[in-house]
Amino acid sequence: MKSSQSLYISLFSEEKSDVLKELLHACVDEICGRPGPSYRKFINSMDWSRAEYEGVYKLLSTLLKNPASLYMVDEKMPQEYHELPEQVQQNVLTCLKVRREQLTNALLKEHYKRKLPTVTNFDWRLKLVMGSSKMASLRESLLQLDFIVEDMDSRRIINLELNKDELETMINVLEVLV
């Protein structure tokens, strides 16, 4: 049976460096919430079996999801990193340097989702109320604000309807919190 080092050397040949870079960036895309890599995309450019692809994909994803990798210092890098050939380590570091901020934001977002409900997006609509059953000419502007809130296992929408004074109060409170 091959050692992991010799297996990686055979899978990551020098001439396939561009494909490795593409795979690394596709893994980062997936961590950041965009479509990730697929075996079908890489089947023609790599001579890997599906099992080899799955193993490499899992290794690279695990390595990139590890917060210690973001330090980009050899002493703090995970064990999986040190098992890779030198040229692969350099490609991983290059990818981390380029995509560090995006990875950090994605990992923090995932961490906070596990701990607390998190606002992931919002939508707003401005309405002008011209009148009501009580008053014929009201002419009040209202902001309808939808917060999309996610936590570990659910996603929900919180809807607020605010007049001008309530909106100013909310903005002031948010400014104090930040």
Side-chain angles (χ1 to χ4, degrees):
M1 177 127 179
K2 290 182 179 180
S3 70
S4 62
Q5 183 73 17
S6 63
L7 175 65
Y8 293 142
I9 289 171
S10 69
L11 292 176
F12 298 117
S13 59
E14 271 299 324
E15 61 270 4
K16 300 291 185 177
S17 182
D18 291 340
V19 179
L20 173 62
K21 290 175 186 174
E22 187 178 347
L23 179 59
L24 280 164
H25 285 283
C27 288
V28 172
D29 286 343
E30 183 176 59
I31 293 167
C32 293
R34 293 183 288 279
S38 67
Y39 178 66
R40 190 176 302 150
K41 181 177 181 179
F42 291 97
I43 193 168
N44 295 329
S45 53
M46 289 288 201
D47 52 346
W48 295 345
S49 69
R50 185 158 191 96
E52 289 171 332
Y53 167 80
E54 294 293 333
V56 169
Y57 163 72
K58 185 176 179 180
L59 168 76
L60 294 177
S61 291
T62 303
L63 181 63
L64 293 169
K65 285 180 184 177
N66 190 328
S69 297
L70 297 174
Y71 288 108
M72 297 185 294
V73 177
D74 271 350
E75 299 81 41
K76 294 185 179 186
M77 292 301 272
Q79 181 62 36
E80 298 92 356
Y81 172 81
H82 297 290
E83 294 173 0
L84 296 170
E86 180 66 31
Q87 143 260 354
V88 176
Q89 290 179 6
Q90 290 305 314
N91 282 324
V92 169
L93 283 178
T94 302
C95 180
L96 285 170
K97 285 177 186 172
V98 172
R99 308 285 299 271
R100 183 179 184 183
E101 184 177 342
Q102 293 171 337
L103 266 173
T104 303
N105 291 339
L107 294 175
L108 282 172
K109 183 178 174 182
E110 194 62 34
H111 171 76
Y112 286 127
K113 256 197 241 181
R114 282 184 258 139
K115 300 291 181 187
L116 300 167
T118 305
V119 174
T120 57
N121 206 348
F122 68 95
D123 191 19
W124 62 275
R125 292 168 299 289
L126 186 60
K127 293 185 175 186
L128 182 61
V129 178
M130 299 299 286
S132 70
S133 60
K134 294 179 183 172
M135 297 178 75
S137 60
L138 185 59
R139 298 189 60 92
E140 180 181 23
S141 55
L142 293 175
L143 178 75
Q144 281 192 326
L145 189 57
D146 295 334
F147 290 111
I148 293 94
V149 178
E150 294 180 12
D151 57 15
M152 208 162 137
D153 37 53
S154 69
R155 181 174 185 222
R156 63 186 186 277
I157 296 175
I158 298 174
N159 184 286
L160 300 175
E161 191 170 88
L162 308 168
N163 63 27
K164 187 176 180 179
D165 295 333
E166 293 167 333
L167 178 61
E168 285 178 10
T169 303
M170 183 174 143
I171 290 171
N172 290 335
V173 168
L174 290 173
E175 285 177 346
V176 169
L177 293 174
V178 177

